[in-house]
Amino acid sequence: PEAAPLAAALAALLRDDDDEVRSLAALALGGIGEKAIPALLDGLEDKQPGVRAGAAAGLGMMGKKAAKA
């Protein structure tokens, strides 16, 4: 429950105009846990490769928790 507001705020940053902000938000989401998986999956569809890489790294940080995604 504590991570939900943070996950929502970081997920909103995945829609920022700045691709560096989106990439860093994706990396930060990786530390949140399972609540961040839907947002990170969306990040994999970003037009910028750095953002996609951040989202993939974020999912990778979760290990097996993200495998079901």
Side-chain angles (χ1 to χ4, degrees):
E2 301 168 7
L6 182 56
L10 289 169
L13 289 175
L14 287 177
R15 295 185 296 278
D16 194 272
D17 290 337
D18 186 326
D19 57 318
E20 188 171 347
V21 169
R22 294 193 312 274
S23 178
L24 292 172
L27 283 173
L29 279 165
I32 298 288
E34 292 180 56
K35 292 206 177 285
I37 290 174
L40 288 170
L41 292 175
D42 288 344
L44 292 175
E45 303 295 324
D46 196 276
K47 63 184 178 205
Q48 294 295 325
V51 178
R52 293 192 305 267
L59 287 166
M61 289 170 56
M62 289 185 221
K64 292 182 180 183
K65 292 179 188 175
K68 57 184 159 185

